[in-house]
Amino acid sequence: MQAHKFLLGLALFISLSAQAQTSPVVHFVWMGGNDCPPCVAWRKDELPKLQALDEFKNITFSYVIKSIRSTVPAGLFLPAAVKPFKDKLDYASSGRGGSPQAAIVVNGEVFDYFRTTRSASEIQMRLAAINTNAKYPFKRCIKASTEWGKCEIDGQD
């Protein structure tokens, strides 16, 4: 009987460990500043809604202050959690200024990069798809174009 309980406990431990290892590590990086009216409105209206969602509680969120004219800030000005992604954010942004800019980084790689605001419900759909390995509900961009509103490298789904 003891061996049976031990084996059931071991099976449960292995199952939970496998689930934990396959869960994606998601980091949502939001970049904008007080000189950007849509950025201010997003932080006031959409960020609180987003922070209340279950999907948001399972990710890392970083807010990066940057002016409209600036590109991704220099590493010195990035939060510690974002510094490891500096080169990847520079690449994904194509060196463009403008605010807001955002990146969803999954397992250390830029999964989606976008400019302009997104509603809390749109971000929730993105996070839910990533966390459940479902079809991503929007067109992904890995590298923004130097032309505003265009994507140079689309994500593969």
Side-chain angles (χ1 to χ4, degrees):
M1 186 68 155
Q2 292 288 23
H4 181 66
K5 287 182 181 177
F6 173 77
L7 290 175
L8 283 175
L10 182 61
L12 179 60
F13 174 77
I14 291 170
S15 174
L16 291 174
S17 295
Q19 288 176 359
Q21 290 173 356
T22 59
S23 295
V25 177
V26 179
H27 194 135
F28 180 47
V29 181
W30 180 266
M31 296 177 276
N34 290 336
D35 63 336
C36 165
C39 300
V40 172
W42 184 87
R43 284 193 326 264
K44 179 182 156 282
D45 299 329
E46 297 302 318
L47 182 57
K49 294 176 196 173
L50 194 56
Q51 290 171 321
L53 300 171
D54 286 339
E55 290 85 358
F56 196 79
K57 293 174 180 139
N58 297 321
I59 68 163
T60 301
F61 172 73
S62 294
Y63 172 66
V64 176
I65 298 170
K66 73 171 229 48
S67 67
I68 292 173
R69 293 179 186 251
S70 72
T71 61
V72 173
L76 177 69
F77 300 107
L78 292 175
V82 178
K83 286 180 183 188
F85 308 126
K86 169 66 172 142
D87 291 341
K88 293 174 183 184
L89 294 173
D90 285 342
Y91 176 80
S93 72
S94 292
R96 291 277 320 253
S99 292
Q101 294 185 35
I104 299 176
V105 179
V106 178
N107 298 329
E109 300 297 328
V110 173
F111 184 82
D112 195 5
Y113 196 91
F114 52 91
R115 298 179 178 130
T116 73
T117 60
R118 300 291 191 268
S119 70
S121 63
E122 288 175 316
I123 294 169
Q124 178 185 24
M125 288 186 279
R126 286 170 161 84
L127 296 175
I130 292 166
N131 287 322
T132 61
N133 201 28
K135 181 166 175 41
Y136 200 66
F138 300 93
K139 188 175 179 179
R140 293 192 302 131
C141 184
I142 305 300
K143 182 175 191 217
S145 172
T146 54
E147 293 182 56
W148 189 258
K150 297 197 178 192
C151 182
E152 186 175 316
I153 301 175
D154 292 335
Q156 304 297 320
D157 285 326

